[in-house]
Amino acid sequence: MDILQHITALREELRKHNYNYYVLDNPTISDYDFDMKLKELQELEAKYPEYYDSSSPTLRVGGAVTKNFETVAHEYRMYSLDNSYSKEDLLDWEARIKKLVDGDISYTCELKYDGASISLTYEDGKLQKAVTRGDGFQGDDVTTNIKTIKSVPLQLNGDYPPKFDIRGEIVLPFEGFNKMNEERIEIGEEPYRNPRNTASGSLKLQDSAEVAKRPLECLLYTVIGPNLDIATQYECLDKARSWGFKVPNTAHLANSIEEVLEFIGYWDTKRFELPYETDGVVIKVNDLYHQEELGYTAKAPRWAIAYKFKAEQVSTRLNSITYQVGRTGAITPVANLDPVELAGTIVKRASLHNADQIEKLDIRVGDEVFVEKGGEIIPKIIAVDLSKRPIDSQATQYITHCPECDTELVRQEGEAQHYCPNYNGCKPQIIGRIQHYISRKAMDIEGMGGETVALLVNGGLIDNYSDLYELTKEQILPLERMADKSADNLLNGIEASKQIPFERVLYALGIRYVGETVAKKLAKHYKSIDNLKAASLEDLVNVDEIGVKIAESVLAFFEDGANINIVERLKNFGVQLEISAEKLAEQTDKLKNLTFVVSGVFETVSRDELKKLIEDNGGKVSSSISSKTSYLVAGDKMGPSKRTKAEQLNLAIISESEFLQMVM
Ligand code: AMP
Ligand code: ZN
């Protein structure tokens, strides 16, 4: 077969699999096979650049960087929507419409997705342009980033018009959002506030490879253009679906306003089961001819209206504001409330985020406040009931000094959070850092829990993690709940941690922004703590995926004399502060570009050894099965849900011995 034909066939095939997986949620190929085909295509495209195609599936992985997003005009204006909040509002709207059009009117009801609006332009079935809403007349060209979103078709199927715009919403499902936040919290970054802002922020990231990593989705709801040969909104949804777009099938055709109200009633509670955030329903007059008759006001179409769900909200009294100090020194103000029920749970506390938030809402102790629960885990205070404010109420003064160690707080230019800079003397920071050091993914010190750390620090027995290695049995026996056996366990656990490999020690040190992945990268690159310590800013940022923020944080860590001492002590105690010669010799890249999920109990190797084998051979280990998984290594007693999921995704499931064959 000639090369171009082969390339075209591969593109065609990968496109189909993308569609099955991301639009239909119904994959028909294993991830491994998919990745192999994608790799083949990437190689061919690199070899034959003359066959470049702007809609090739290889563009999904991103890589192109946009420094400035170009402003472009929308060919058709992107209007806003009028809002309604009650049955009466909707009946009024219906009455207004009935005055302007004759005959029966039907309506499409669609969920109002809460994300970032986007307008996509297609020509001859290919995605030409993706532009944000902006002010409705013009927006930012974010095409490079949008191309990485797998549910956005780069090439359409079927009987599509030669040129049209299609509009929709870019959303970030809760699952992906929560996972992104877990990772951020882990490395001491502030979590993202909500999926909507994170979705719209993602569109403006400069590095499209970063966008490709985020599990964004694009849900479409309207097609615009000349000579479309479409008669109704409902048909428009159907057609868009048939060309390959992701159009949620929650849309419903209602023949009367009563049916519209039924739809709203149903989703008012059902919406909490959806994978992403919705804040209402959009009702549209179905007949496009009617739509034309009705036209637009200065701001919004007359033929559509948004119905906003009432957020789950209650009011309660704010009893006090307390301030928590995290392991990185970040201060978080917390509102302590009169306990109250909200969306099925009792709420006693709410996060106030930071000083700006308190000032913006003018929240004061003694106020009656409104608390709301959205997609986030922690409820938030959205407003103060000023009519109930006590006369002697005082404006809240944000603390100026650390509640734990009384050090004056600092707030860096451009940062929302205040920090306690007393890195070496502030109890919660000291305790938090040691707790991180002993945690499972770090030094994994068995027999030691977070409470024990607090007892040891408060009892004056340790000040930092290097002190752990000097603890004696006599010192720890008097601690609460410490028996002979548990003391032995603890000491054995500490001793065993000296075998933990360098990359995990580096993670355990708790350098801000150095999470597991970054630690691995740095360990691999520098090979020893001394090399890392000697690295300059320039050096560091030249390492793949290390940015200025991380680099500065590493430098700051080693500028602190106390840290240098601690590291030296660790070294003297025998903690691994360089990659072992053995390990250096062992490493291969046999499993390069492959991702493994490991589950169950194994015979000849432990689970951790198996994971280490994967990484030493250049593979990646992931904790959950997804489209990215290449192999599931199945041991004894593997969870049935993992197996089912793997089977659904058509993943290659291999045994321990099959795996070992791969790396031998
Ligand atoms: P607003 O931002 O309140 O003016 O509401 C208009 C926005 O709602 C549009 O720009 C869309 O981004 C968004 N939207 C979400 N879902 C839909 C839908 N099903 N139909 C129309 N607009 C929607
Ligand atoms: Zn402090």
Side-chain angles (χ1 to χ4, degrees), residues 323-539:
Y323 298 85
Q324 289 179 345
V325 187
R327 93 168 146 88
T328 58
I331 308 290
T332 313
V334 177
N336 300 291
L337 309 164
D338 263 351
V340 62
E341 194 184 323
L342 175 63
T345 52
I346 302 286
V347 173
K348 294 187 198 125
R349 285 141 63 89
S351 169
L352 290 168
H353 302 304
N354 53 48
D356 290 345
Q357 184 76 0
I358 293 178
E359 200 177 318
K360 202 170 95 201
L361 298 174
D362 185 20
I363 293 177
R364 305 175 181 194
V365 169
D367 275 342
E368 193 72 19
V369 294
F370 295 106
V371 185
E372 203 177 282
K373 207 164 181 174
E376 310 86 71
I377 304 152
I378 311 160
K380 59 184 172 205
I381 294 181
I382 51 152
V384 172
D385 186 348
L386 289 174
S387 71
K388 298 208 177 124
R389 173 166 281 174
I391 355 168
D392 59 350
S393 138
Q394 301 272 324
T396 299
Q397 296 293 331
Y398 202 80
I399 49 166
T400 53
H401 290 75
C402 176
E404 301 281 342
C405 73
D406 212 32
T407 304
E408 191 170 355
L409 301 179
V410 293
R411 185 181 184 181
Q412 231 115 53
E413 180 89 24
E415 287 209 18
Q417 232 65 16
H418 284 72
Y419 282 88
C420 166
N422 186 10
Y423 181 87
N424 293 305
C426 182
K427 276 275 168 68
Q429 294 188 57
I430 295 171
I431 294 175
R433 221 159 28 233
I434 303 174
Q435 286 172 337
H436 171 72
Y437 184 83
I438 65 159
S439 65
R440 203 173 46 78
K441 288 180 178 169
M443 301 302 270
D444 193 18
I445 297 187
E446 242 176 277
M448 191 163 195
E451 278 168 37
T452 318
V453 173
L455 286 175
L456 289 168
V457 173
N458 289 328
L461 293 171
I462 57 173
D463 279 330
N464 61 65
Y465 33 66
S466 72
D467 295 339
L468 290 171
Y469 298 93
E470 273 183 341
L471 284 174
T472 62
K473 194 162 170 185
E474 292 70 48
Q475 283 178 312
I476 54 176
L477 265 178
L479 294 180
E480 248 174 75
R481 282 197 298 267
M482 193 60 74
D484 201 65
K485 181 104 189 289
S486 44
D488 282 338
N489 277 347
L490 200 161
L491 290 174
N492 288 338
I494 293 174
E495 187 59 29
S497 75
K498 293 180 183 170
Q499 304 310 319
I500 296 289
F502 174 49
E503 57 186 43
R504 275 173 60 189
V505 179
L506 190 53
Y507 167 66
L509 296 183
I511 304 172
R512 201 164 169 211
Y513 306 131
V514 178
E516 264 186 296
T517 329
V518 171
K520 265 181 202 161
K521 289 246 156 67
L522 291 173
K524 221 173 189 164
H525 187 89
Y526 288 102
K527 314 233 167 13
S528 75
I529 198 90
D530 290 336
N531 290 342
L532 179 63
K533 192 167 76 185
S536 67
L537 183 79
E538 220 186 355
D539 258 2

Side-chain angles (χ1 to χ4, degrees), residues 111-112 114 174 250 263-281 307-313 343 372-375:
L111 293 174
K112 188 168 190 290
D114 208 8
F174 290 126
T250 41
F263 182 88
I264 290 172
Y266 176 80
W267 285 105
D268 193 15
T269 51
K270 266 287 182 208
R271 70 192 156 113
F272 295 109
E273 293 168 24
L274 289 167
Y276 33 72
E277 208 154 17
T278 45
D279 60 348
V281 170
Y307 175 91
K308 293 275 181 121
F309 291 127
K310 279 187 213 54
E312 291 275 342
Q313 198 187 76
E372 203 177 282
K373 207 164 181 174

Side-chain angles (χ1 to χ4, degrees), residues 50 153 157 171 181 186 200 252 258 276 317 335 343 376 403 432 439 453 466 487 526 572 577 599 649 658:
E50 62 270 38
N157 286 318
V171 297
N181 268 349
E186 173 121 307
S200 67
H252 173 77
E258 284 69 34
Y276 33 72
R317 185 175 181 276
E376 310 86 71
S439 65
V453 173
S466 72
Y526 288 102
N572 293 334
L577 288 163
S599 181
L649 290 173
E658 281 170 313

Side-chain angles (χ1 to χ4, degrees), residues 36-47:
M36 286 298 129
K37 286 191 199 289
L38 188 66
K39 208 166 138 203
E40 186 186 353
L41 179 58
Q42 272 169 330
E43 284 166 5
L44 285 170
E45 287 181 349
K47 206 161 154 197

Side-chain angles (χ1 to χ4, degrees), residues 93-118:
W93 177 66
E94 185 202 24
R96 286 199 299 275
I97 288 173
K98 292 221 153 146
K99 272 193 214 142
L100 295 168
V101 291
D102 295 327
D104 290 340
I105 299 175
S106 59
Y107 307 90
T108 46
C109 306
E110 295 161 37
L111 293 174
K112 188 168 190 290
Y113 324 111
D114 208 8
S117 349
I118 195 79

